[in-house]
Amino acid sequence: MDSSFKLNVDGSFHVNSSMMGVGGLLRDSFGQWIGGFSSFEACGDCIFRGLEVARDLKLQDIICESDSEFVVQLILNLKLTNDLSYFQYVSRIKTLLPSFGSVVFQSVSRSFNIPAD
């Protein structure tokens, strides 16, 4: 039996209202809902918030899917940026990683990330 949990995250920004929000959900290997979150925060915080929920639930093996290829590449050290806010965001994510047995980050298309929408 697979003991990994899937974390799907998404952030959004509404231009007209300047509102930002993040959300996500955790599912077991059978696709059953384990937990979730939503809040009005900067879009960049969605992976961090999702990992916090997974940590609080004491989950160990996480597959994190996001439709933000740029952010996933930053986390995996495949891309560099001079933007300090992204550096701080990725640093916060990396402080949570020792809480888990394993975390796999994957970039997926929006159509595969629908559960987090």
Side-chain angles (χ1 to χ4, degrees):
M1 182 165 85
D2 187 3
S3 62
S4 64
F5 297 86
K6 187 172 283 189
L7 168 64
N8 289 88
V9 297
D10 200 9
S12 64
F13 177 73
H14 190 267
V15 176
N16 293 338
S17 67
S18 296
M19 295 288 292
M20 290 186 258
V22 298
L25 71 150
L26 283 152
R27 295 175 289 160
D28 66 16
S29 59
F30 299 104
Q32 297 298 308
W33 186 84
I34 300 296
F37 68 97
S38 65
S39 66
F40 293 104
E41 298 181 57
C43 296
D45 283 334
C46 56
I47 293 174
F48 179 78
R49 293 292 170 222
L51 289 174
E52 278 188 321
V53 171
R55 179 199 60 200
D56 293 348
L57 292 171
K58 300 185 181 358
L59 306 179
Q60 282 300 298
D61 299 315
I62 308 296
I63 300 168
C64 178
E65 294 184 339
S66 170
D67 57 22
S68 176
E69 183 177 357
F70 177 75
V71 171
V72 170
Q73 287 183 348
L74 286 176
I75 294 168
L76 297 175
N77 296 320
L78 299 175
K79 188 174 280 289
L80 300 174
T81 182
N82 292 327
D83 187 329
L84 184 58
S85 63
Y86 279 112
F87 175 78
Q88 292 169 331
Y89 170 63
V90 170
S91 295
R92 289 177 62 206
I93 289 170
K94 290 186 177 186
T95 64
L96 291 176
L97 297 183
S99 304
F100 303 100
S102 68
V103 180
V104 175
F105 294 97
Q106 298 176 341
S107 174
V108 296
S109 70
R110 291 192 81 187
S111 62
F112 286 107
N113 204 35
I114 289 175
D117 279 347

